[in-house]
Amino acid sequence: MNKFLNEILEQTTSLENTLGFYENDAGKNLLNKTLELYKNKKFREIIFTGMGSSYFTSYLTSCLLNEYGIRSYTINASELLYYHFSLLAADTLLICVSQSGESYEIVKILEKLKPDITCLAITNEATSSLAQNSSVALLSKAGHEEMTSSKTYTSIALVMLISGWVLAGKWTDEMKVKVRQMIDIFNELLNSNKKWVPDITGFLGDYDFIEIIGRGPSYSSVLQGALMFKEAVRTPAEGILGGDFRHGPMEMVKEGFRAIVFAPKGKTFDQSVKMAMDIAKFKGKVVLITNANLNFSEPNIHVFKIAVDDEYLFAISGIIPLQFIVNSRALDIGLKPGYFTRGAKVTKVE
């Protein structure tokens, strides 16, 4: 078994460990400190920042908080460092997200922060520069990871959602049950991958570019999926918002075009399903990832159902088929999936 696939299959354990941590005293204490900090300082807004996978999970949580009326924004760390730093003020809570806690841009932001700026960390490494230089460090429990992000992405995303629910007063027993149910479904999908992966890869066939499309919370996994194709398969890929794809890029669709579309039940379900249908109409092939019961007679649409009803938790579980597609595609074209040849797992240079 290759290392990338092995880390994919370790995700149930990493998610269980992460949830378990926040159900026990040490994790509860960190969440209580986070909520106390947020309430006491009466922040006007929250700015999330990160790079790569960490930046993508920030979008997921920003959607959640804004839905509950808590003003939040997501700014890429390299852009925040040079072009948007003046937005950071005493009434802004800066949440820095970094799996390693050592990404170049994050470290430079920490060095540049004025004493009156409050920084909260979300990271996989308790001894990292980020964790050690933040007011509170919320930890994921993904364990060591060497390849293209898989288990660190999903575990960090879970920590991000938990923190968002805590700030919004929604981290209830009912929500914890939903998270456990999501992890159970996640595990079932991992264990049954040999049954469903060949159907998807066979449907997609050969391609030299893939478009990944989604809206709202799913956009985080859309971006992560595109990154995995570029890192692990060296294949050009684009992650794009469904609305943006309507405004011009639809012109690319023709026979041979390949797309993956996220369509969870929610505010933009109808638009996302219609997107898939229109791509198929123009002879492109679409893998439609959804939690709805859909039946198509259209041969250019392959429906993959993930029975996670919560739109935010669906965004985490929705990455599973993309991880396995990436792994299979890399093997098919003779690559070792997930290895870095022109960079490193932790980027410490600009």
Side-chain angles (χ1 to χ4, degrees):
M1 185 183 297
N2 67 70
K3 286 186 178 180
F4 181 56
L5 179 57
N6 190 58
E7 289 177 351
I8 290 172
L9 295 173
E10 289 173 352
Q11 288 178 106
T12 300
T13 299
S14 65
L15 288 169
E16 287 176 342
N17 289 345
T18 297
L19 176 61
F21 177 72
Y22 289 101
E23 290 185 316
N24 291 325
D25 289 344
K28 286 179 180 178
N29 184 47
L30 290 176
L31 294 176
N32 288 336
K33 284 184 178 179
T34 300
L35 184 59
E36 183 179 355
L37 180 73
Y38 178 72
K39 287 183 174 180
N40 288 346
K41 296 217 171 183
K42 299 179 180 178
F43 296 107
R44 181 174 61 90
E45 62 187 10
I46 297 172
I47 292 179
F48 291 94
T49 195
M51 297 294 294
S53 298
S54 299
Y55 173 61
F56 307 152
T57 59
S58 298
Y59 186 87
L60 172 67
T61 315
S62 184
C63 282
L64 177 73
L65 291 177
N66 285 325
E67 187 163 343
Y68 288 126
I70 298 174
R71 182 183 300 173
S72 66
Y73 309 91
T74 301
I75 304 175
N76 176 282
S78 63
E79 295 295 293
L80 178 62
L81 180 60
Y82 292 109
Y83 295 105
H84 304 284
F85 202 82
S86 64
L87 293 176
L88 300 179
D91 60 354
T92 300
L93 173 59
L94 175 65
I95 300 182
C96 290
V97 189
S98 173
Q99 296 166 8
S100 68
E102 301 293 349
S103 294
Y104 176 90
E105 295 83 359
I106 292 294
V107 172
K108 289 300 179 182
I109 286 171
L110 293 172
E111 292 174 355
K112 195 175 175 181
L113 285 181
K114 294 179 180 178
D116 63 340
I117 305 299
T118 303
C119 177
L120 187 147
I122 297 182
T123 182
N124 197 52
E125 302 295 338
T127 59
S128 65
S129 298
L130 175 57
Q132 297 300 311
N133 290 279
S134 300
S135 297
V136 181
L138 296 176
L139 304 172
S140 88
K141 296 295 179 178
H144 179 66
E145 183 179 68
E146 296 181 36
M147 303 292 105
T148 293
S149 298
S150 57
K151 61 180 182 175
T152 53
Y153 169 74
T154 51
S155 292
I156 289 273
L158 179 57
V159 175
M160 298 283 279
L161 288 181
I162 290 173
S163 67
W165 284 318
V166 166
L167 294 182
K170 304 296 183 180
W171 186 230
T172 61
D173 289 341
E174 181 182 359
M175 189 58 70
K176 292 172 187 176
V177 169
K178 288 183 179 180
V179 173
R180 292 190 196 97
Q181 290 172 340
M182 183 274 290
I183 295 174
D184 288 341
I185 292 168
F186 202 109
N187 188 52
E188 291 172 6
L189 290 172
L190 293 183
N191 290 336
S192 63
N193 74 87
K194 292 180 180 179
K195 295 180 180 178
W196 55 263
V197 171
D199 291 339
I200 294 180
T201 56
F203 168 79
L204 286 171
D206 195 26
Y207 51 92
D208 55 14
F209 169 80
I210 193 159
E211 189 83 63
I212 308 174
I213 305 168
R215 296 171 183 247
S218 291
Y219 188 53
S220 60
S221 286
V222 164
L223 294 173
Q224 175 65 11
L227 177 62
M228 289 192 298
F229 272 100
K230 288 177 274 193
E231 280 186 353
V233 194
R234 322 290 192 259
T235 293
E238 180 182 43
I240 190 169
L241 287 164
D244 279 341
F245 192 75
R246 280 284 179 201
H247 287 254
M250 182 68 84
E251 296 299 321
M252 294 189 297
V253 181
K254 59 182 179 180
E255 190 170 352
F257 183 83
R258 300 290 186 271
I260 298 171
V261 175
F262 284 76
K265 291 177 287 187
K267 297 176 181 177
T268 54
F269 171 73
D270 291 340
Q271 294 94 322
S272 298
V273 172
K274 189 175 187 302
M275 175 73 68
M277 294 172 65
D278 286 348
I279 291 171
K281 180 177 68 175
F282 296 124
K283 300 184 179 179
K285 284 191 172 184
V286 184
V287 174
L288 184 63
I289 303 174
T290 185
N291 52 12
N293 293 318
L294 295 174
N295 292 304
F296 287 103
S297 57
E298 171 56 63
N300 283 335
I301 297 178
H302 179 92
V303 177
F304 186 80
K305 183 180 178 182
I306 299 175
V308 175
D309 287 333
D310 183 272
E311 191 173 3
Y312 292 91
L313 292 172
F314 177 86
I316 296 178
S317 53
I319 197 64
I320 298 174
L322 279 76
Q323 291 172 341
F324 281 98
I325 294 169
V326 163
N327 180 70
S328 295
R329 183 63 179 163
L331 295 175
D332 287 345
I333 62 176
L335 293 177
K336 289 183 177 180
Y339 281 83
F340 294 87
T341 60
R342 288 168 174 76
K345 175 69 175 174
V346 181
T347 302
K348 294 188 178 182
V349 296
E350 281 191 293

